[in-house]
Amino acid sequence: STQSTWGEALPFKDRASIFLKAADLLTTKYRSTVLAGLMLGQGKNVWQAEIDAACEVADFWRFNCKFAEEIYAQQPPENSFAVWNTMEYRPLEGFVLAVTPFNFLAIGSNLHSTPALMGNSCVWKPASTAIYASYLIYKILEEAGLPPGVLNFVPSKGSDVSRAVLPHKHLAGVHFTGSTDTFATVWQQISYHLRPYHQYPRVVGETGGKNFHFVHESADIDSVVNNTIRAAFEYQGQKCSATSRLYVPANKWEEIKEKLIHQCSTIKVGCVEDFESFMCAVIDKSAFDTITHFIETGKTDPSCTLIAGGKYDDSVGYFIQPTIFLTTDPNCKLMEEEIFGPVLTVYVYNQDKYEDALKLCDSTSKYGLTGSIFARDRIAINKAAEILKYAAGNFYINDKSTGAVVGQQPFGGGRGSGTNDKAGCFLNLLRWVSLRTVKENFLPLSDFKYVSNSPQP
């Protein structure tokens, strides 16, 4: 079987060499091809394609080899006299299903390669809107020497994969990135089949987010505006970490409003071939319809006022202008639900009720993925970090809510945003091994009796 020839028989250094070679192939021979495929297939401008495909995919492959090396080196620190203790990091018994999204090729490349690096075979179900770039990654791994059967590339409907794969008794794990509802359905289906499974499947998921920028009155206003424009509108807001909520103190709102509207008006929306395009088309008609429905909801909500954008056009491609609403209702639909598009909603709070506003931010959404505090006042920063402790698995101070870097900011969140198993660090790799403790005794036991059983003098 693949398991016996890959994870059990092939030493780690040989498995690692494949992914290290793939990283070199990606960043040299296939760099332009993969970037072009990502731009045309997923609508990324050249900058977003570069940081996703050429940088982050290679970072995952290289850093994961380092993380795995460190994991394998972890052994019991003590050995009693005449005893040798070791830990074995075995691959799981079975296969891992990787379900990957359209928006990041890096995520698509990591979700199957992490379990594979640790010795597992994988079934990879890519998003239906990300087939071509994903296939290029598969072919690069194949050229790097990945043996047949280790990674099984299966483009298909999600429902077909669910019917064929989730009930399989040798399903050992699911590595998922996608919507919160889909992940809940996957987990529920797994629960139906717990008794037939050969082992309890490991379930790791990163799902949605309703991410925030929270502004204190001591913040640098220009930094707030520029970071918010980037985080809300880069890649058309189609990032699970994209900013869609902005909390602003009343005494700073007029200045922030003026600069937000001005900067928003300078954003160029266009085709990926035009390198001046900051935003391009959203991924497909379904996304277009969902996002524009939220925009129309905001236009008809009496608590919301459209202050920028709000226009869209699907005559040639699915283009949506960057859109900003101001709301007087902190619990309106636009503040609570994930939109996954270029729509930002602003709530203005009384600067004298800073802590109350922080508590409101914490309780507004079911998600807990990313969030940022902007402030110069260190006491205000500390208070935000305390109150928003569980509101974001990735918490940023004076920086935008997007852009986690492999090896620097391990990524993932709790609450409705996933299992928080932190892609981009050693913790995620540990989910794809089953440990065995081995104790070897060097000296034979000459008597079964305890010392205390001996006759007393």
Side-chain angles (χ1 to χ4, degrees):
S1 67
T2 303
Q3 186 92 344
S4 60
T5 57
W6 171 247
E8 297 172 10
L10 198 64
F12 164 68
K13 66 179 182 64
D14 295 294
R15 300 199 305 271
S17 70
I18 294 170
F19 292 98
L20 293 173
K21 180 177 180 180
D24 289 345
L25 287 171
L26 171 63
T27 54
T28 55
K29 180 180 178 180
Y30 293 107
R31 189 186 199 109
S32 298
T33 303
V34 174
L35 260 62
L38 188 58
M39 291 169 70
L40 294 172
Q42 275 105 291
K44 293 201 169 189
N45 65 27
V46 68
W47 180 273
Q48 289 292 316
E50 169 76 10
I51 62 177
D52 178 4
C55 298
E56 194 171 357
V57 174
D59 280 351
F60 270 126
W61 286 344
R62 289 166 175 159
F63 274 98
N64 281 345
C65 289
K66 179 60 177 174
F67 297 145
E69 183 180 48
E70 293 172 352
I71 287 171
Y72 289 131
Q74 293 296 313
Q75 294 295 321
E78 295 292 336
N79 294 289
S80 301
F81 176 71
V83 170
W84 184 26
N85 300 305
T86 57
M87 291 287 289
E88 294 180 3
Y89 296 85
R90 306 169 298 177
L92 305 178
E93 284 192 280
F95 66 91
V96 174
L97 170 64
V99 180
T100 64
F102 77 86
N103 61 331
F104 275 99
L105 188 62
I107 296 174
S109 303
N110 181 57
L111 264 59
H112 56 77
S113 62
T114 301
L117 177 65
M118 304 309 287
N120 299 281
S121 57
C122 298
V123 172
W124 178 15
K125 191 276 175 197
S128 58
T129 47
I131 301 297
Y132 179 61
S134 299
Y135 181 69
L136 291 175
I137 292 296
Y138 172 74
K139 297 302 289 183
I140 288 170
L141 287 168
E142 190 177 63
E143 183 174 330
L146 194 68
V150 174
L151 178 59
N152 303 277
F153 186 68
V154 186
S156 57
K157 291 182 179 178
S159 56
D160 291 341
V161 170
S162 295
R163 284 195 298 270
V165 177
L166 293 182
H168 200 288
K169 68 177 182 179
H170 291 300
L171 178 69
V174 174
H175 207 184
F176 176 96
T177 294
S179 75
T180 301
D181 287 344
T182 301
F183 185 55
T185 300
V186 168
W187 204 324
Q188 188 175 46
Q189 289 178 331
I190 289 172
S191 71
Y192 292 153
H193 303 286
L194 284 181
R195 295 191 185 280
Y197 287 137
H198 189 62
Q199 64 174 24
Y200 294 114
R202 307 285 178 89
V203 183
V204 174
E206 189 264 296
T207 60
K210 190 65 181 175
N211 313 294
F212 59 86
H213 279 186
F214 198 105
V215 184
H216 183 258
E217 60 182 334
S218 68
D220 181 307
I221 300 304
D222 287 336
S223 181
V224 167
V225 171
N226 288 320
N227 275 292
T228 301
I229 290 290
R230 273 199 176 181
F233 302 130
E234 60 185 0
Y235 192 40
Q236 300 79 263
Q238 297 174 125
K239 297 185 178 185
C240 47
S241 56
T243 304
S244 57
R245 290 186 284 160
L246 177 62
Y247 295 84
V248 177
N251 59 348
K252 298 295 179 181
W253 169 233
E254 287 305 319
E255 182 182 2
I256 290 175
K257 176 184 176 181
E258 179 183 348
K259 292 182 176 181
L260 266 179
I261 293 173
H262 171 71
Q263 293 289 57
C264 193
S265 70
T266 67
I267 293 175
K268 182 171 183 177
V269 181
C271 296
V272 297
E273 295 95 334
D274 183 352
F275 281 18
E276 292 185 0
S277 296
F278 184 82
M279 288 173 53
C280 305
V282 298
I283 190 66
D284 60 12
K285 186 179 189 308
S286 176
F288 180 85
D289 290 344
T290 298
I291 298 163
T292 55
H293 173 74
F294 273 102
I295 291 174
E296 292 306 313
T297 297
K299 289 178 180 179
T300 57
D301 187 333
S303 73
C304 295
T305 302
L306 179 68
I307 63 173
K311 297 180 180 179
Y312 45 85
D313 183 2
D314 63 349
S315 58
V316 182
Y318 302 106
F319 292 95
I320 301 175
Q321 294 295 320
T323 298
I324 304 175
F325 285 97
L326 173 66
T327 186
T328 57
D329 180 4
N331 296 111
C332 71
K333 183 175 182 176
L334 270 60
M335 290 291 281
E336 290 188 346
E337 297 185 19
E338 184 180 41
I339 301 174
F340 220 67
V343 181
L344 174 70
T345 306
V346 185
Y347 176 71
V348 178
Y349 69 91
N350 184 337
Q351 67 273 5
D352 296 326
K353 296 183 177 181
Y354 176 61
E355 291 190 24
D356 290 342
L358 287 170
K359 292 174 182 176
L360 175 66
C361 176
D362 176 60
S363 62
T364 295
S365 170
K366 67 179 180 180
Y367 299 104
L369 192 53
T370 71
S372 305
I373 174 67
F374 289 87
R376 292 189 182 100
D377 184 330
R378 199 69 207 183
I379 294 176
I381 292 171
N382 181 266
K383 180 57 66 175
E386 175 190 335
I387 293 177
L388 300 172
K389 186 174 184 178
Y390 292 100
N394 280 56
F395 185 67
Y396 298 89
I397 300 171
N398 294 316
D399 203 352
K400 60 188 176 68
S401 66
T402 62
V405 177
V406 179
Q408 296 187 45
Q409 298 98 32
F411 189 78
R415 293 183 176 173
S417 293
T419 58
N420 202 16
D421 285 289
K422 293 299 187 192
C425 81
F426 73 95
L427 292 169
N428 189 279
L429 279 68
L430 286 171
R431 298 289 280 146
W432 312 115
V433 290
S434 177
L435 278 66
R436 180 166 77 160
T437 302
V438 179
K439 173 188 176 183
E440 182 175 354
N441 187 8
F442 292 152
L443 296 178
L445 186 66
S446 59
D447 192 349
F448 75 88
K449 294 179 181 178
Y450 305 127
V451 174
S452 60
N453 296 145
S454 301
Q456 301 299 311

